[in-house]
Every structure is written in structure tokens, then in C-alpha cells.
Amino acid sequence: MKIINIVGARPNFMKIAPIVEAMKPYPNLEGILLHTGQHYDDAMSRIFFDELDLPKPDIYLGVGSGSHAQQTAAVMIAFEQVLKDHQPDLVLVVGDVNSTLACSLTAAKLGIPVAHVEAGLRSYDRQMPEEINRIVTDALSDFLFTTSKLAGENLTREGIPKEKIFFVGNVMIDTLQNHLVQARQQGTPAKLDVSAGDYVLLTLHRPSNVDNRDILSSLLDALGEIQKDIPIIFPVHPRTMERIHKFDLRGKLENAPDLRVMEPLGYLPFLDLMANAKLVLTDSGGIQEETTILGIPCLTIRENTERPITLTEGTNTLVSTDPQKILHETQLILDGKGKIGDIPELWDGHAAERVVQILNYILGDRKPT
Ligand code: UD1
């Protein structure tokens, strides 16, 4: 049975890695790794292949950046030919990026079954491009693997039959658990001249936060205040750096010496920094989950989240883009009043094994060797 595993953008790599690994013991499963090239910088792509021991992609589409329509269409056109040439039995997509949508749509149109790992997440905010990608991908998928029971309930409310939904846990947490010891040996805080437990880690890249000058400017002001009390480590996404330049906001960085701006980091140093932070400020999706597992307080700079389990069971708090709220919640954590969370059900490091067992059972019905 031939399965094409899809990656495209940074958050995909840590999700596909344990799935590729889990397929190895099954001689009847032939996994083909395809990289769309949505992310192409070394720091956004290649470094993760090295750190996560991912094999070099068998197929690289090299689509690069563009508007949503350009990027999605470029992936679809290139991927359609791949499907015709390879005739796979299944296409497996992860997450919610444009590559996820483009590949599932192309496969579905050719009648090729689609498996979606991390199905059923909903922010109910269609201004977020990822929300549209999630809804369409889930509607087209034949196998929907979820990280929580709530995600399964979201899917059944949308009319997706229960037989297609499998609650397996969180593959990104498999990768975290597989790499935590190695990450902690990196000594990243010391290399960046901060002490464990005495810095804030920050990421910011959502269009809703960085594409609007007023919002980005007021966020940088709030960060300018926080860095007076505690250093902030800020590995900057290329889109955010581009906007800071375009909106002429570099002065705000120069006036904040302890807002320490740097290139995007690899998986291991970033995980090391998360695990040792006093708190994490972010607008990422995956980081809300990773901090929950690490027991590190996380303040999410968004109005909503598609990962509510991190609020109800984990260490996450939504702070919106309101500077007062951000400063208030940060102060609570600095005063030792951060949230202490639990580990969500089945986030146990074995989610990818469950995904592959289920696929093998349904499609191949053979035992691993
Ligand atoms: C994409 C995903 C988002 C994910 C994020 C992680 C979609 C809709 N969004 O957003 O869900 O959280 O990846 O990073 O798929 N760029 C580079 N080098 C690269 C890649 C991008 O410089 O290797 C710059 C380009 O200017 C590009 C911009 O970043 O136009 C945005 O890239 P894009 O892939 O469109 O979306 P992200 O914001 O990265």
C-alpha cells in the first residue's frame, strides 16, 4: 500500500516525523515523503529535517511563497501530476496550512482517500486562513485523526460520520517527548546569555497580529514594557520581520534592548528555550500545546483558539492583543501565579503509532513484523 505523506510548512515537520517513523515496521506500507516547498528557507525547513531525522523528501514541489490562491493553486497543479504518476492508495496530511488544503483537495478530486491528522480543531473564526483550511480538509477526508474528544464532537456536529473519526492523541507531542532530553542538553539559555526560569520566550507571526500596523505597533509597545522587568527572547518569523521593516517600526526594537531579536531557531534549541522559560508569549497554535505538556505558562496573543483543551486542562490563557491584558497576565505569572495544568488524555507519545495501526488495519489488515 502506497501512502504519500505531505509536509509544506514549519509546523508540519514535527507532526509528520513520528508518523514516518511509525510506518517503518510495516513492510506492506510504502511511505513516500512529499515536501511542497511552501516554506523553503533553511531556518524554516531544512534544519528540521536534520534535527528530527526526517529522510530527504522523495518529492519536492518547490512552490514557495505567494498569495493564498497562488500558493494553493501551485501546489494543486504540481501535486495532481504526482498523483497521476504514483497512483497512491492514500494521501496523509497534517495540520492546517495551505499545503494541507491543496493536497487534500487534489487527492479528493481524483478519488484518492485522504487521512487528516489533527482533524476537528475549530476556532470558529473564519478570518483565520487556517480555519478555512481545517473545515475544507476535514470535509474531504476519509480518515480523521483527532487530538481530543472535543475535536471529534466538532466533526460530528458538522455531519461527519463517527466511523471516520479516530481519537488518537497528539503526534506533535510524540515528537516533543522523543526529543526533550536531547533538547535540554543544548544549553540554549546560557548561549543566549539568559538564566533558566528568568526570561520570556516570544513568537509572533499571525497575519491578524503582524499585518496591521496599529496592532503590531501596540504589541511592540507592550513588549517594550515587559522587557524592562525580564528579558524577552524573540526568534522572528520572516513575515514579521518583513512587516516591522515595511511599517517602519524598527525604532521600537532599538528602544527595547532586552527584547532580543534573532533569526528563527531550530526545533531543539526552541524546545530547550520553551522548557526553561518563565513564560511563553505566542500567537502560534502548536506552542499552546507544547507549553501545556511542559507545564510552562503560556499567554496566547489571540482572541480565540482552536485548541481550547490547552485553556481548560493546560497552562494556556488567552490575552487578546490588548496591551493592558497582556501586561496584567504577564505580571501575574512573574508574581508566581501562573497556571498549573494537566496532561490531556492520550497525549502520551504514542499517537503516531495509533494512526498507523488504524490505517494498516483498515487498509491493509496485516500485522507489523
Ligand atoms: C504558514 C501557515 C501557518 C503556520 C506558519 C508557521 C498557512 C495559511 N499558514 O504561515 O498556519 O503557523 O506557516 O510558520 O499555510 N517566508 C520566507 N521564507 C520561508 C517561508 C515564508 O521568507 O521559508 C515569508 C515570505 O515572505 C512569505 C511569508 O513568509 O510570503 C508567509 O509565508 P506563508 O507560507 O505564506 O505563511 P506563514 O505566515 O509562514
Side-chain angles (χ1 to χ4, degrees), residues 9-11 38-41 44 65-66 68 71 96-99 129-130 133 205-206 237-239:
R10 183 169 60 179
Q38 174 174 346
H39 284 176
Y40 43 87
D41 285 354
M44 299 294 287
S65 300
H68 285 274
Q71 197 172 55
D96 54 16
V97 303
N98 285 343
S99 301
E130 292 81 1
N133 294 346
H205 75 282
R206 289 269 153 237
H237 187 285
R239 138 183 240 122

Side-chain angles (χ1 to χ4, degrees), residues 12 19 29 40 50 67 106 114 122 124 133 172 210 224 237 240 244 251 261 264 267 341 347-348 363 366:
N12 294 159
I19 297 174
L29 298 185
Y40 43 87
D50 296 344
S67 70
T106 313
V114 175
R122 294 290 181 269
Y124 297 102
N133 294 346
M172 207 184 52
V210 305
H237 187 285
T240 308
I244 289 173
V261 168
Y267 183 75
W347 292 21
D348 59 358
L363 297 170
R366 295 210 209 130

Side-chain angles (χ1 to χ4, degrees), residues 187-201:
T188 318
K191 283 182 195 161
L192 296 176
D193 204 19
V194 286
S195 311
D198 196 21
Y199 61 88
V200 173
L201 179 62

Side-chain angles (χ1 to χ4, degrees), residues 45-54:
S45 175
R46 190 195 46 79
I47 189 161
F48 297 93
F49 282 80
D50 296 344
E51 290 182 320
L52 302 175
D53 282 327
L54 267 171

Side-chain angles (χ1 to χ4, degrees), residues 25-37:
Y26 293 84
N28 56 317
L29 298 185
E30 182 196 347
I32 297 173
L33 186 60
L34 181 144
H35 187 347
T36 65

Side-chain angles (χ1 to χ4, degrees), residues 83-116:
L83 291 177
K84 286 181 175 160
D85 292 346
H86 287 264
Q87 304 279 334
D89 300 290
L90 181 81
V91 169
L92 184 146
V93 296
V94 295
D96 54 16
V97 303
N98 285 343
S99 301
T100 311
L101 165 72
C103 291
S104 39
L105 186 48
T106 313
K109 291 262 180 167
L110 288 177
I112 297 168
V114 175
H116 183 206

